[in-house]
Amino acid sequence: MNPGIDLQGSFIELLTSIGLPPGVAKAVWMPLPMLLMLVGATIGVLISVWLERKISAAAQQRIGPEYIGPLGVLAPVADGLKLLFKEDIVPGNADAALFTLGPILVVIPVFLSYLIVPFGQNLLISDLGIGVFLWISLSSIAPIGLLMAGYASNNKYSLLGGLRAAAQSISYEIPLALAVLAIAMMSNSLSTVDIVNQQSGLGILGWNVWRQPVGLILFWIAALAECERLPFDLPEAEEELVAGYQTEYAGMKFALFYLGSYVNLVLSALMVAILYLGGWDFPIPLNLIASWVGVSETNALFQVIAGAVGITMVLLKAYFFIFLAILLRWTVPRVRIDQLLDLGWKFLLPVGLVNLLLTAGLKLTFPIAFGG
Amino acid sequence: MLKFLSKIGDYTKETIQSARYIGQGLAVTFDHMRRRPVTVQYPYEKLIPSERFRGRIHFEFDKCISCEVCVRVCPINLPVVDWEFNKELKKKQLKHYSIDFGVCIFCANCVEYCPTNCLSVTEEYELSVYDRHELNFDNVAMGRLPYKVTEDPMVTPIREFAYLPEGTLSGHDLPEPAKRAGQLPQDIVKTLK
């Protein structure tokens, strides 16, 4: 396997050649990808908010934002700026400390999970050994923040919303983890880079969708529930709970919740792309194209193009799933709380277990196709 | 065991069925995305009001005979008719006439019953003001005619659904001489003769 471009290595090499000690060079490098990822995630959120508004409008035969920038692309920026300038209100009888801590606890783990999202062989912040499970464990911190926000607001709607969010997150984490477990079993690793590498080589045919179709559906349903997207947006069901745990929030604290929910959606879509659609893998293997054209794989230009194609592929696949989530939002009505828990515990959990068992059996019988 | 298996079979069938329903729903929403927006981009586009539209009421001062029929037929006795009896002419002389359009329900009963046709309805519906007292129109204000949508160079007039040619669903991008569906009133009158 071709290692691809190594930005970190060449950057540190450049600094050490100037005369910096290697330790300092590494320290200079470290904040760069983190900052890039933070900015990238925020821009991803702005794009998905804009897409949400435009696609929602199209599904309802409207036009949507039109005059705020070309095609209304600046509408989410205007939303954010408005929230930034709004007064920061803490309700009189609320627990001020918990009230402030709630949104922070919701947002930070989501951003932290971007640590393991790869856009290429070396284009990620950190290739951790526990990889995907870091994401799953971090995503279970968010309900603590939601519960905290709901409890601290001193409002019955908020409390109910917080409790629902906690119940929903806990019950959908299990099918999510089971779906990921089946993937991890096939690729013999939890690292996201290893998972993608295991899928690459055969182009579109090698992707996990073909080996884990049930797992993909399972994962996507559970991920939608984790993100509190529309068929499962019970914690903030506006007809019953005003806005759930967000009821008492305004200004920047509300913006944090809003940002968190969209960052989480983008993250989930990215994870689907990585786990099931081969991450940065092009539908036709790039080295095959290189050999057709007659370019060496170590050619610098080819490497740069391959890297760019990889990033584009990840984003395309992720945004396809965001599009699907938005389309689902206008297609499927909200489920009741009992239907939600039924679906989680009585349908997704047994299906997830059977899927895991089947994967294990197939792995034993066909070790070539299912990662021996 | 067989019963258990058949139960599982039924459950699988139901699941597939519901998944197909969701798929159908997604197809419907997806199909909606390629349709033209039905929205009218007010204030750049405006619908042409129907010929039966009951908008702000127009008043012709000189035709009025101060009979106060409009006041009597009004559900809330809204028109204010200020007149004085002129002894020399032995006639009522109108001094002021006003209707508060903040209170009016635009039923046009006054228009219907006015014996001298001094009242009529216009197409005007843009009655937003900063102070509600500005909606209390006097006879001068009521004598003004509204600007027609079709003559406003800033506005693209859009025909209402009932005025579109047969089979057309949207008033946008109509071919120029598109005649409305069905017969026009004058055509019907001709056939009656």
Side-chain angles (χ1 to χ4, degrees), chain A residues 28-282:
Chain A
V28 171
W29 163 259
M30 273 212 302
L32 291 178
M34 296 182 200
L35 214 67
L36 195 68
M37 205 54 126
L38 270 180
V39 172
T42 314
I43 289 171
V45 167
L46 294 179
I47 292 170
S48 54
V49 169
W50 176 74
L51 275 178
E52 169 111 61
R53 293 182 65 171
K54 270 306 210 196
I55 294 170
S56 301
Q60 297 168 348
Q61 287 180 266
R62 293 185 286 117
I63 291 177
E66 199 186 0
Y67 295 105
I68 320 169
L71 289 173
V73 279
L74 293 180
V77 180
D79 285 354
L81 276 180
K82 186 206 86 176
L83 286 171
L84 199 67
F85 286 114
K86 268 181 91 167
E87 188 187 350
D88 187 29
I89 300 166
V90 178
N93 285 327
D95 187 324
L98 288 185
F99 192 77
T100 318
L101 200 60
I104 297 172
L105 258 184
V106 173
V107 168
I108 287 179
V110 185
F111 270 108
L112 215 57
S113 306
Y114 274 82
L115 210 66
I116 52 135
V117 176
F119 290 92
Q121 185 68 34
N122 289 313
L123 296 174
L124 79 167
I125 299 179
S126 172
D127 183 11
L128 287 174
I130 54 163
V132 241
F133 268 57
L134 177 83
W135 169 54
I136 289 179
S137 47
L138 278 175
S139 75
S140 47
I141 296 176
I144 301 174
L146 298 180
L147 208 57
M148 213 177 252
Y151 173 74
S153 296
N154 190 31
N155 176 322
K156 57 191 169 194
Y157 298 121
S158 300
L159 183 59
L160 276 173
L163 289 174
R164 276 187 181 185
Q168 187 171 323
S169 295
I170 289 166
S171 42
Y172 278 81
E173 216 137 76
I174 300 162
L176 194 74
L178 285 175
V180 171
L181 214 58
I183 294 282
M185 202 194 276
M186 287 198 332
S187 39
N188 297 315
S189 171
L190 285 168
S191 147
T192 42
V193 174
D194 286 352
I195 289 173
V196 175
N197 279 338
Q198 176 265 136
Q199 299 175 63
S200 64
L202 287 171
I204 194 166
L205 294 173
W207 295 353
N208 274 337
V209 219
W210 314 116
R211 285 177 281 183
Q212 288 285 335
V214 179
L216 171 63
I217 294 164
L218 208 73
F219 185 89
W220 186 235
I221 293 175
L224 281 181
E226 285 278 303
C227 298
E228 284 144 23
R229 287 290 305 178
L230 198 79
F232 309 109
D233 72 333
L234 289 120
E236 45 207 278
E238 65 262 25
E239 289 88 354
E240 327 161 19
L241 294 183
V242 191
Y245 52 84
Q246 301 171 355
T247 308
E248 296 287 351
Y249 282 88
M252 212 47 219
K253 285 175 192 155
F254 173 75
L256 280 184
F257 274 132
Y258 195 74
L259 184 73
S261 75
Y262 276 97
V263 173
N264 206 357
L265 176 67
V266 175
L267 180 69
S268 300
L270 283 170
M271 289 318 282
V272 178
I274 288 154
L275 295 181
Y276 291 95
L277 289 179
W280 63 83
D281 213 28
F282 197 68

Side-chain angles (χ1 to χ4, degrees), chain B residues 59 61 63-73 79-84 91-94 96-97 110 113-119:
Chain B
F59 175 71
F61 191 84
K63 278 191 187 172
C64 183
I65 54 168
S66 315
C67 65
E68 292 191 13
V69 161
C70 47
V71 185
R72 272 181 280 152
V73 297
V80 178
V81 188
D82 177 20
W83 53 267
E84 207 169 48
K91 253 184 177 176
K92 288 194 236 175
Q93 211 171 20
L94 186 61
H96 297 284
Y97 186 90
C110 46
Y113 284 93
C114 180
T116 58
N117 280 338
C118 68
L119 290 170

Side-chain angles (χ1 to χ4, degrees), chain A residues 55 58-63 66-67 323-324 327-328 330-332 346-347, chain B residues 11 15 22 24-26 29-30 32-39 41 44:
Chain A
I55 294 170
Q60 297 168 348
Q61 287 180 266
R62 293 185 286 117
I63 291 177
E66 199 186 0
Y67 295 105
F323 172 74
L324 203 67
L327 208 62
L328 266 172
W330 299 109
T331 309
V332 189
K346 292 189 188 166
F347 181 73
Chain B
Y11 192 65
T15 310
I22 290 176
Q24 281 174 9
L26 277 173
T29 6
F30 192 78
H32 270 262
M33 297 203 0
R34 58 168 194 84
R35 301 187 192 175
R36 199 197 186 291
V38 291
T39 43
Q41 299 301 303
Y44 308 106

